[in-house]
Amino acid sequence: MEMAGEKREPLFLTTRWSLVAGAAREAEESLDALCRQYWQPVYAVARHAGHDVETAKDLTQGFFARMLERGGIAQADRSKGSFRTFLVTALKRYMVSEWRRDHAAKRGGHSEWLPWDEALAERIPLEGRDGSPDALFDRRWALTLLDAALRRLKTERDFDILKEALTAGRGETDYAWVAQQLGRSEGAARVAVHRLRKSYRAAIREEVARTVAKDADIDEEMRTLMSALA
Amino acid sequence: MNEMKSCGRCGGAFSDESPGGLCPRCLMAMNFESQTMPEGERSVQEAPWSPEEMRAHFPQFELLEYLGRGGMGVVYKARQKALDRVVAIKVLAGEWQGDPGFATRFEAEAKILAQMSHPNIVTVHDFGEVDGLYYLVMEFVDGVNLRDLLREGRMASEQALAIVPPICDALEYAHGKGVVHRDIKPENLLLDREGRVKIADFGIASIAGSGGEASGTPPYMAPEQERGRVDRRADIYALGVVLYEMLTGERPTSEWVAPSRKVQLDVKIDEMVLRALASEPERRYQTAGEFRTVVETLAATATTPAAGEAEWLDVSQLHELSADRKHWKLGMGIYFCRKDPRLVVPKWKPGWGWTLNFAHAWAWPFLAALIVLSVGVLKVAKAWELPMLAVGLGWLAAVIGVCHVMSRGPVRTGATPSMGTRSAITGALAAGLVLILQGHEVAHWHAQALSREGWSLWNQGRFDEAREKFTKSLQRNSEVAETWNGLGWASFNAGDGESGERAFQRAIELNPHHPGAWNGLGQIHLARGEWEAAEKELLKAAERNATAAWAGLARLYWQQKRYAEAERWAQKLTLVGQGNGATQQILDAAREEREWSAEQERRSQDHAEDVGGGVPDEKVASTEESDHRLEKTEALERTADQVQLEQAAMDLIVAIRDGNEATLTALAGDTVEDWPRRLREVARELRERFRESAGKKAFDFEVANSAVADSWGLVRCTGGPEGVGTCVVMFFVRTGEGWRNCLLRTSTEEESLDAHWAYWNEFLAAADRKRWEEGPDEGPTIQANEFLDRVEESAYLAGTGLGEAHPQRKMAAVMLAKCQKQYPDFPNARCRKLAAERLAMRRSELKALREKGLGEAHPQLQPLKSVIAALQAVMEESDVEKSGMRAPEEEGAIDPDSP
């Protein structure tokens, strides 16, 4: 998984959900980064449960605050399972315990733990309201992960022109057109597409790897995510 | 809003907000088609050039045949018209068209290649570039490549070893000219019809490689090749891989296994392969010539161990041998036949058993193993008091079974029996010896086991049975102080003080520092009233921190009216949390005594003052006293929370004892599904169990310790009847009405608080899981809350003045309707109760807004009023839907301020 020559935060290369037990400072930062990335599925579940926007937002913020504050993650058995399954279980427990609290909790006084993109949060269609929270969570998780991987690729050259090729099947890509857009030869276009695909695959694998306990789990996690999207 | 698009490929829905604006399903699926190369790569290799195109490009050649894809391009068979010879033309793929340095590199490399002339290297005749296509004209080799051979599986080692030397020759030659191949692999090793080996594609890899990028075929690449530092030794590595593949039929993986372990080979070949495949170049053969020499030597001397391939004989043939009387000595007794490879043969008259073939070298070890193992088994059986008859018969049956199996075959040629048999014999010998020699150890294990059983019985209060176990244990090993101690306690508790005393003394003889034994002696003497002896013994036990002894000492001193000392020991007990009613009594008595003597002192002092002379001692006494008091308060200080919690716990115990179902229900929390009902059941059970242990004070419980964490509380009470479970653990949840119980269980005193918390967490998680698995519908409170949330949301939106057709209101209406469909009996009593709570809150919110000075028509007030109306409707069981959706103007009839 070496991407020689590309600048990368050292965090990403070694972050494994199970390795986040090392130096306290690094561990916090890694956890922080992971949480910031995966707030969407949590929010989706909160909304799915019927909460309005504000409450769902509070719930999400509160959940992550609790996770990060109390070192709840540190206590989890990280040799088994993935970050995703841990999070969904903890979320359920959290939501159940929140039922016992006052609904109309005083607003304000929370410190904002996550940068909140309100517009984005609400623009995501709340599909599948009849489904179980698990399915929704996993689906949102998969989408978030794809998003994260693609964001990494945005820095590659000509990403916007080439990105269609990421989902193209055999023989679907019009290399002549691509070459024209790039202002290069067709052969060069083919190579560029190939390189982007390679980078994309590596990016996905890395993102998945950050959330599982050991490398052997990566493939299974990917299969699970695939079925979550189906 | 988002527009949902449909993916042309998979039919799934996605929108602009999907990652990258692409279909997520296809994006994900892309990661799985990994076996085949992605389209981009493959098409580089495909040569869509038709023969016509080719002719146009290469007029000087006559195209004969398309031979196939190579690593870097496509190969054609052609006839060079000018020289009338058949050649191969390799056209390199056009990937490098944009690369300026390519042309220069190509030319340079091709020139070097053209200079190479060796019988085992495919000659390069010419090279060039035409219409953007780079090509090489090479010698045509009429034959197959090594990959084709390997497809049929591995080859014999002689063959493999024969192919390597000529390759080494060629490599030596090329290396001498400073050229490294960099891409040795079976596809590049051609064999012509005469069986000559030729290396193709020399140096192509270096043409393709643009500095830094690793080129070559990964499975054959030496480790240092990935870093771009390549020299001749990389070729040697690749050749090693090819050799491995030839010998075993498989490529070596990262943890590869020596070839001789995969196939029948001489082990010397392993060394050679190992060296060629060394990760560090320094450890490999440094030149191809060296490699060749080793290979040639091995080829000459290696032998395939034919002996390994054993032939299987038909056992029926061997019967002829064993039927022959001349092999039998002493009638049917002793069998001696060299030709017969069997170790165990059936006796001459079949059905009369089996015997050993004493011509066999392994016969004597077999016999020895059998005897030794038999003795060992019998010894163990005796030590463990297993029924000898059963064991004997069982062993006999096992031996018969083994003989039967062995004599039936299958049998191999060769005098040595199989590895398995040899190992079994050696193992049996060893095991038998161990059992015999360590027989006494076995007895010890048994003694330990019996002792453990004894203690467990003692804990349950079955003292006579415990005595038996301990006695039996001592029969097997009488040197264990702890067992004597156990016997002592069991006897004492069973009422036999004298035997107990003797047992304790034995224990002390063996271990002069055994606290339990000293305590035991002390207790016995205490019970008899022999104070001096008891005191000495208890003190000895107390030295070793036996807290049980402290209680004894406290009682002893109290009985002797030595209050100060009694107090001291009683306090020690309290400080470690083992105080109980008796301890408290002692402390009270001691305090009274002190106060009385202080009073006396004062009186005598007054008296003395009248007479003259002060008494400074009083002051000393009082400071001591206050010190004591301080210690006590610190030890007993608990938070207000804990005090409340413990009170709730004691209330619960009382309710259980009295069977007061109403109180039980009141004290039960509803955190866990249906707990109130279950609590009553548990309470009933406990009452029954406690009553069965007659003669003890069944409900004499006391709080041992308590802990509070967040809104959870844990109380551990000790007491109760022995043998049932010496403590009761209760879990509480903090509610608005105080602590409520949500779990009750009995436990032993050994379990730590942490263990209890862990149990509680698991229990809670399981309950949560259950609730979630059954859908968000489980849990009456959650249902009700969900319902009320919908009601409030609908009412709220209505109050904001949005029209009924507004999508948000529509959505809310749909959700509410769905909810009502799900719970047709709503609003039920619980809903109403919760609605009342919410109503109160909303009202106070409204009041606050009004106090702020906002007018009645203020947009913040209207929705709130609407919500209040809706909640009221819930409580009055009127039609919720309608009232919730009413627009604020219609609200006049209901005054939100009325209670």
Side-chain angles (χ1 to χ4, degrees):
Chain A
M1 285 219 266
E2 289 167 28
M3 311 272 268
E6 292 190 75
K7 247 178 95 169
R8 196 132 266 142
E9 293 141 298
L11 208 57
F12 286 31
L13 280 179
T14 54
T15 304
R16 279 289 176 283
W17 147 237
S18 66
L19 290 183
V20 183
R25 166 82 56 84
E26 276 171 32
E28 271 168 45
E29 284 169 8
S30 326
L31 274 180
D32 221 48
L34 274 174
C35 286
R36 275 168 213 284
Q37 188 163 317
Y38 288 107
W39 61 266
Q40 274 189 37
V42 176
Y43 178 78
V45 170
R47 283 288 273 137
H48 168 87
H51 296 287
D52 63 21
V53 175
E54 274 305 306
T55 319
K57 177 177 167 183
D58 278 347
L59 222 88
T60 314
Q61 300 271 11
F63 173 66
F64 280 116
R66 167 86 64 93
M67 283 285 111
L68 295 171
E69 243 178 356
R70 303 277 202 76
I73 297 183
Q75 286 165 16
D77 182 358
R78 276 185 261 120
S79 58
K80 305 188 193 108
S82 64
F83 186 44
R84 174 182 56 84
T85 50
F86 167 74
L87 216 60
V88 74
T89 319
L91 175 61
K92 286 178 186 172
R93 207 182 298 179
Y94 179 77
M95 286 184 71
V96 169
S97 79
E98 284 301 297
W99 280 118
R100 298 188 202 99
R101 306 241 175 143
D102 222 341
H103 278 289
K106 303 183 194 62
R107 306 234 184 273
H110 286 294
S111 48
E112 288 268 311
W113 280 89
L114 308 165
W116 196 261
D117 187 344
E118 178 119 19
L120 174 63
E122 275 306 298
R123 265 196 300 171
I124 296 162
L126 295 168
E127 68 274 311
R129 276 208 155 202
D130 296 324
S132 74
D134 282 84
L136 174 63
F137 188 89
D138 284 352
R139 192 188 151 79
R140 281 274 134 231
W141 187 279
L143 291 175
T144 309
L145 191 128
L146 285 174
D147 217 13
L150 288 179
R151 248 182 287 130
R152 284 194 184 200
L153 298 179
K154 283 213 163 79
T155 55
E156 304 239 341
R157 251 184 9 191
D158 307 314
F159 174 71
D160 290 308
I161 302 173
L162 297 171
K163 71 177 183 192
E164 299 291 334
L166 283 178
T167 52
R170 301 258 169 78
E172 279 180 29
T173 314
D174 185 354
Y175 286 103
W177 179 85
V178 174
Q180 199 188 48
Q181 297 293 101
L182 292 175
R184 293 163 71 190
S185 69
E186 199 178 308
R190 287 174 196 267
V191 171
V193 165
H194 169 56
R195 286 223 181 97
L196 183 71
R197 284 206 176 133
K198 222 164 80 157
S199 306
Y200 164 72
R201 282 194 179 154
I204 287 271
R205 271 193 94 84
E206 247 188 70
E207 281 298 329
V208 172
R210 282 173 76 209
T211 66
V212 297
K214 40 190 197 295
D215 284 359
D217 296 337
I218 295 179
D219 286 302
E220 176 155 342
E221 181 77 359
M222 281 180 56
R223 278 193 285 274
T224 314
L225 293 174
M226 180 76 227
S227 56
L229 285 170
Chain B
M1 276 309 278
N2 307 297
E3 284 153 29
M4 300 297 277
K5 296 186 265 201
S6 180
C7 173
R9 203 163 303 107
C10 64
F14 67 103
S15 74
D16 290 325
E17 300 308 328
S18 305
L22 302 163
C23 170
R25 220 162 283 127
C26 294
L27 259 183
M28 199 69 202
M30 227 280 282
N31 288 291
F32 291 91
E33 33 157 294
S34 52
Q35 298 312 324
T36 54
M37 286 195 283
E39 200 225 326
E41 243 180 44
R42 179 87 69 91
S43 60
V44 168
Q45 306 283 6
E46 264 166 19
W49 301 300
S50 64
E52 289 77 33
E53 277 181 294
M54 285 304 294
R55 267 177 226 121
H57 289 313
F58 298 103
Q60 70 273 46
F61 293 101
E62 184 195 328
L63 198 76
L64 294 174
E65 203 182 315
Y66 166 68
L67 290 174
R69 269 189 288 273
M72 303 290 157
V74 186
V75 187
Y76 294 90
K77 180 177 173 184
R79 194 176 69 84
Q80 193 170 22
K81 292 179 192 162
L83 294 173
D84 195 23
R85 65 174 173 187
V86 177
V87 293
I89 306 180
K90 184 164 199 142
V91 184
L92 297 179
E95 225 191 58
W96 304 277
Q97 281 166 3
D99 204 331
F102 183 78
T104 339
R105 274 207 310 277
F106 180 81
E107 216 177 282
E109 204 63 43
K111 283 200 183 133
I112 297 176
L113 291 178
Q115 280 170 26
M116 299 224 280
S117 157
H118 189 281
N120 295 108
I121 298 181
V122 171
T123 319
V124 171
H125 298 307
D126 199 3
F127 68 93
E129 180 261 335
V130 76
D131 297 340
L133 298 169
Y134 287 91
Y135 67 92
L136 287 162
V137 183
M138 308 180 300
E139 172 191 341
F140 173 72
V141 176
D142 186 13
V144 295
N145 66 29
L146 193 55
R147 173 63 61 203
D148 298 325
L149 284 187
L150 285 175
R151 233 171 255 139
E152 286 156 37
R154 62 181 182 87
M155 48 180 73
S157 57
E158 297 88 18
Q159 258 191 300
L161 293 178
I163 290 180
V164 174
I167 300 180
C168 290
D169 247 354
L171 285 178
E172 182 91 332
Y173 173 83
H175 294 164
K177 290 204 174 260
V179 177
V180 178
H181 189 289
R182 292 168 70 153
D183 197 12
I184 296 276
K185 55 183 176 181
E187 290 82 348
N188 285 341
L189 299 172
L190 312 175
L191 290 113
D192 68 10
R193 292 202 193 281
E194 280 138 61
R196 253 202 309 224
V197 184
K198 287 177 185 278
I199 311 183
D201 282 355
F202 238 102
I204 297 281
S206 58
I207 297 178
S210 48
E213 201 177 305
S215 50
T217 315
Y220 299 93
M221 267 162 54
E224 72 275 11
Q225 228 169 325
E226 282 163 41
R227 289 173 239 126
R229 301 161 5 93
V230 171
D231 61 18
R232 56 174 63 180
R233 294 172 297 190
D235 280 345
I236 294 185
Y237 181 92
L239 187 54
V241 178
V242 172
L243 180 57
Y244 187 99
E245 205 173 345
M246 286 196 286
L247 291 170
T248 63
E250 289 167 5
R251 278 203 286 260
T253 55
S254 50
E255 284 121 38
W256 55 268
V257 159
S260 68
R261 292 247 290 267
K262 295 186 117 198
V263 291
Q264 289 286 356
L265 282 180
D266 196 325
V267 286
K268 298 198 210 81
I269 293 182
D270 286 347
E271 281 176 42
M272 174 184 66
V273 172
L274 185 71
R275 189 140 171 224
L277 291 179
S279 315
E280 289 115 56
E282 295 75 37
R283 299 222 312 234
R284 289 173 213 152
Y285 297 108
Q286 297 298 300
T287 67
E290 206 184 315
F291 196 2
R292 184 189 62 208
T293 317
V294 173
V295 171
E296 282 172 346
T297 320
L298 264 182
T301 60
T303 51
T304 343
E309 294 277 296
E311 249 180 72
W312 298 103
L313 292 179
D314 185 10
V315 176
S316 48
Q317 287 175 0
L318 297 169
H319 283 330
E320 288 179 15
L321 288 169
S322 58
D324 194 342
R325 270 182 121 157
K326 71 169 189 273
H327 293 130
W328 292 88
K329 298 192 178 138
L330 296 184
M332 294 200 320
I334 304 189
Y335 183 69
F336 197 97
C337 175
R338 273 192 226 282
K339 287 203 214 97
D340 190 343
R342 290 178 296 178
L343 187 52
V344 175
V345 302
K347 291 214 173 165
W348 180 49
K349 274 216 189 98
W352 282 82
W354 296 266
T355 186
L356 292 171
N357 178 359
F358 285 99
H360 216 292
W362 280 81
W364 289 105
F366 186 90
L367 192 60
L370 196 62
I371 294 175
V372 158
L373 200 53
S374 305
V375 174
V377 165
L378 290 173
K379 247 203 154 182
V380 167
K382 187 151 159 255
W384 284 1
E385 287 193 357
L386 301 170
M388 295 298 278
L389 191 63
V391 169
L393 285 176
W395 179 243
L396 199 61
V399 170
I400 288 175
V402 167
C403 289
H404 188 69
V405 163
M406 284 185 75
S407 71
R408 271 176 145 233
V411 182
R412 333 161 95 219
T413 52
T416 39
S418 66
M419 265 298 266
T421 318
R422 279 181 282 166
S423 322
I425 294 177
T426 325
L429 256 177
L433 284 172
V434 163
L435 284 178
I436 293 176
L437 296 174
Q438 298 290 310
H440 65 282
E441 276 295 308
V442 170
H444 281 189
W445 303 333
H446 199 213
Q448 252 184 338
L450 283 168
S451 190
R452 266 201 301 277
E453 282 169 43
W455 279 114
S456 125
L457 285 166
W458 183 82
N459 274 319
Q460 293 170 35
R462 291 149 68 171
F463 300 125
D464 286 304
E465 291 173 50
R467 267 179 101 175
E468 267 180 56
K469 288 285 177 189
F470 285 125
T471 316
K472 274 204 193 139
S473 170
L474 288 166
Q475 278 169 3
R476 272 154 194 68
N477 186 358
S478 63
E479 304 296 306
V480 184
E482 184 61 24
T483 316
W484 283 111
N485 179 39
L487 182 60
W489 281 104
S491 310
F492 179 41
N493 290 123
D496 186 354
E498 281 179 27
S499 319
E501 192 177 354
R502 276 198 298 275
F504 283 133
Q505 274 161 349
R506 271 295 277 141
I508 288 167
E509 273 172 43
L510 289 166
N511 177 6
H513 299 294
H514 197 293
W518 282 117
N519 184 26
L521 274 178
Q523 301 283 355
I524 292 182
H525 292 137
L526 183 63
R528 288 201 209 136
E530 294 166 19
W531 307 127
E532 268 188 47
E535 186 180 351
K536 251 195 302 217
E537 283 145 10
L538 288 173
L539 278 171
K540 266 226 158 72
E543 264 171 46
R544 311 267 158 229
N545 269 324
T547 51
W550 300 353
L553 280 168
R555 224 172 38 246
L556 176 91
Y557 290 129
W558 184 56
Q559 295 243 353
Q560 295 191 304
K561 307 210 190 298
R562 288 152 72 175
Y563 290 117
E565 283 155 293
E567 191 178 17
R568 177 167 155 241
W569 289 103
Q571 265 168 4
K572 280 186 86 152
L573 276 170
T574 319
L575 281 173
V576 298
Q578 293 200 13
N580 58 10
T583 324
Q584 196 56 41
Q585 244 187 323
I586 293 175
L587 288 170
D588 290 335
R591 196 186 58 226
E592 270 178 37
E593 187 55 34
R594 253 186 290 118
E595 282 168 7
W596 174 243
S597 38
E599 178 77 23
Q600 296 279 47
E601 277 293 317
R602 235 177 287 126
R603 289 214 196 115
S604 61
Q605 194 208 359
D606 290 341
H607 222 65
E609 268 184 6
D610 297 341
V611 176
V615 183
D617 302 303
E618 193 191 6
K619 293 218 178 75
V620 178
S622 58
T623 25
E624 260 186 41
E625 199 185 270
S626 47
D627 278 347
H628 281 313
R629 227 178 269 142
L630 196 63
E631 264 184 58
K632 228 165 55 171
T633 351
E634 275 171 7
L636 301 172
E637 200 166 71
R638 302 188 305 290
T639 63
D641 263 353
Q642 274 178 290
V643 172
Q644 265 190 326
L645 178 67
E646 289 173 12
Q647 187 56 48
M650 290 318 290
D651 288 348
L652 191 64
I653 295 271
V654 168
I656 294 175
R657 180 192 73 197
D658 299 338
N660 192 339
E661 310 237 324
T663 316
L664 282 174
T665 314
L667 287 174
D670 64 349
T671 312
V672 174
E673 190 188 51
D674 215 10
W675 181 243
R677 179 187 60 81
R678 286 176 60 195
L679 174 60
R680 292 201 295 276
E681 279 173 11
V682 172
R684 219 171 295 142
E685 254 182 62
L686 281 177
R687 256 206 317 283
E688 296 303 326
R689 274 164 80 193
F690 291 174
R691 267 207 221 112
E692 274 170 44
S693 337
K696 316 272 183 180
K697 289 201 218 148
F699 281 89
D700 194 9
F701 279 101
E702 268 164 327
V703 173
N705 41 20
S706 64
V708 171
D710 252 3
S711 39
W712 304 110
L714 162 71
V715 181
R716 195 162 70 109
C717 292
T718 50
E722 283 171 89
V724 180
T726 50
C727 72
V728 162
V729 182
M730 297 174 260
F731 298 89
F732 290 83
V733 63
R734 200 203 298 268
T735 70
E737 295 134 273
W739 290 102
R740 290 288 176 267
N741 177 267
C742 36
L743 183 64
L744 184 67
R745 64 191 279 251
T746 53
S747 168
T748 59
E749 278 191 273
E750 280 90 43
E751 271 191 86
S752 66
L753 272 187
D754 280 354
H756 290 311
W757 278 121
Y759 180 93
W760 169 238
N761 278 324
E762 267 186 51
F763 183 92
L764 192 62
D768 288 350
R769 256 202 305 278
K770 188 158 168 278
R771 197 187 273 150
W772 267 97
E773 273 158 21
E774 290 165 10
D777 311 333
E778 277 314 301
T781 315
I782 294 182
Q783 288 174 352
N785 272 323
E786 197 183 322
F787 175 72
L788 289 173
D789 283 344
R790 304 258 180 276
V791 166
E792 284 197 71
E793 192 174 344
S794 290
Y796 188 87
L797 288 171
T800 56
L802 291 171
E804 271 189 37
H806 191 281
Q808 270 191 293
R809 274 195 73 177
K810 269 180 155 175
M811 179 71 106
V814 162
M815 296 307 298
L816 179 58
K818 192 170 148 233
C819 197
Q820 285 184 304
K821 213 171 110 186
Q822 259 183 321
Y823 320 128
D825 61 289
F826 275 5
N828 61 10
R830 185 177 289 277
C831 286
R832 282 198 287 279
K833 177 161 160 264
L834 290 167
E837 286 171 27
R838 291 178 180 228
L839 193 57
M841 273 192 308
R842 301 283 171 250
R843 283 197 170 133
S844 55
E845 280 177 30
L846 186 63
K847 186 155 163 259
L849 285 177
R850 282 184 176 142
E851 276 167 12
K852 266 207 210 158
L854 298 177
E856 284 309 303
H858 194 280
Q860 268 195 296
L861 265 72
Q862 292 301 352
L864 202 46
K865 285 202 223 174
S866 174
V867 166
I868 288 173
L871 286 172
Q872 264 185 312
V874 164
M875 288 180 59
E876 290 159 20
E877 282 189 69
S878 55
D879 196 341
V880 171
E881 216 177 46
K882 288 233 184 75
S883 67
M885 300 283 262
R886 242 183 298 170
E889 303 88 59
E890 293 166 1
E891 230 186 57
I894 300 176
D895 182 357
D897 287 327
S898 60

